[in-house]
Amino acid sequence: MGLSGGLDSVALLALLCRARTHRPGLAVSAVHVHHGLSPNADAWAEHCRALCAALRVPLRLERVSLVVSGGDSLEAVARTARYQVYRRSAAGVVALAHHLDDQAETVLLQLLRGGGPRALAAMPALRRLDAAGPWLWRPLLGLRRLQLEAWVQAEGLSWVEDESNRDERWRRNLLRQRLLPQLEAALPDYRRHLARSAGLLADAAAVLDEVAAQDLAACRLGDGLSLAAWRGLSEPRQRQVLLAWLRVLEWPAPEPEALAEFQRQALQAGADSCPRLALASGLLYRYRDGVHALPALATPAAVPLAALDPAAECLVEGWGGVLSWAWRPRGLPAALLAQGLLLCPRQGGERLASAVGRKPVKNFLQEAGIAPPLRERWPLLCDAGGRLLALPGVAVDADLAAGPGWWPCWRPLPASSG
C-alpha cells in the first residue's frame, strides 16, 4: 500500500493489519515515496519506518526527483512520480487511502476545470494502473475523514501533518478550508451526493467508451482512420473517436476547443489541404481520404549506413522509419550499396534526375501523394560524398538506375501498434 504517514494512510495500514489477523495469508507491505519537497520529509519517512516496525509491516522507501516543466503543476508531477513507483511494485494490488472527502473534492475540482464525464467520474474503487501493472484499490471511499480520525485515535496511533495542506494557493486546500465548510453547513450530505453523481458519471463514461471503441474499430484504415467512415458519424461521436484513438496512442487529450477546431477543418478543408492538431506527443492531421497520427520526433540528423544487405530491413534510430530494398527493373547497382550510404534530412532546393530532367525533390513527394507532415522529414539517400541518389519509396536517380537493381523503400513507423 501507499503510505505517506498522514492520517488517511495510517488508518488504511492499521485496517489492513487488522484484516491480516483474520486472514493469515494476507501479505501486507508498504511503500513510502520521499518527494523531498518539505523540510520535514525525512521526519515523515522516519515516522513511517517506526510505524511499520511496530505493526510488523515491510516498508520500501523510494526517493524521487521532481522536474516541473511548462504547463505542469507541482502536484501533478508529484502524483505522476508516485504512480511510477506503484508501477514498479511486485504486489498484485496497491491500496490507496482516498476517502469520501477526497472523492467529493475531486468531483468539484474536475467540475471547476471543465471536465467531462470521465473526469467527473473521479476515482474508481478498483482499476488497473495500466495493462501490465498492479490493481489500484481504494477501500476507504465510503468513509469520511472524521470517521478515520476517530478510529486512528481509538487505536492509539499517530500521524504526520503535511504543512502544505494549509496552503490555499492550491485549489484543493482552498475548497477544503474555505468553501466546503460553508457548503456542509447548508448541505450536510453533499459528499455522498457528489459521490453518487461520480458513480453515475462513471457508468455514462463507460458507455461512451464502449461506443467510441466500436466506432474507432469501424473507422480504422491501416494506421489511421478512414475519412469517409469518420465523416459518417455524428459530430459528438466523431470527437469521441478521436479521443478514444488518443487514449490508444497514450497521448494526452487536447483542449475541447482545439479538438473541435481540428474536427471542423478536417471536415471542411479541400482534399489536398492538411489540417493539423499539434500535441505534445505528436501530430494529428487529415490528408486526402484519411486522418493520421505522427509521433513527435526530434529533427533527424544524417545517419551513415554501412555496407547494406538488401535482403534485410533496417530500423533507422532517430528517423522513425524502416529502410528496406526491393529488386526492380530499374534500381541502384549492388556495388553502390556495398560502399556505404547516408540517410540525410532535407535542406530545401534538392533535385533528383528523372526521365525528363532534374526535378525538385518536393515535386517528387507531391506527385507520390506523401502527406505534407511526412514530406518535411522524408529521408534523402545519398552516397558518402553527399550526392543525392534516391528518395526511398518514391524515386531513384534516373542516371544511375539504367538497369535492374535495388530500389530503396521507406516505411514510416506508425504512432502506435494499437
Side-chain angles (χ1 to χ4, degrees), residues 97 110 140 142 211 232 244-245 282 316 372 376 398:
Q110 293 296 353
L140 306 181
V211 173
W245 191 21
V316 186
E376 294 164 9

Side-chain angles (χ1 to χ4, degrees), residues 107 117 120-122 190-203:
V107 174
L120 294 175
Y190 80 89
R191 297 172 182 83
R192 296 200 180 278
H193 294 161
L194 289 173
R196 182 174 61 191
S197 291
L200 294 172
L201 286 163
D203 285 349

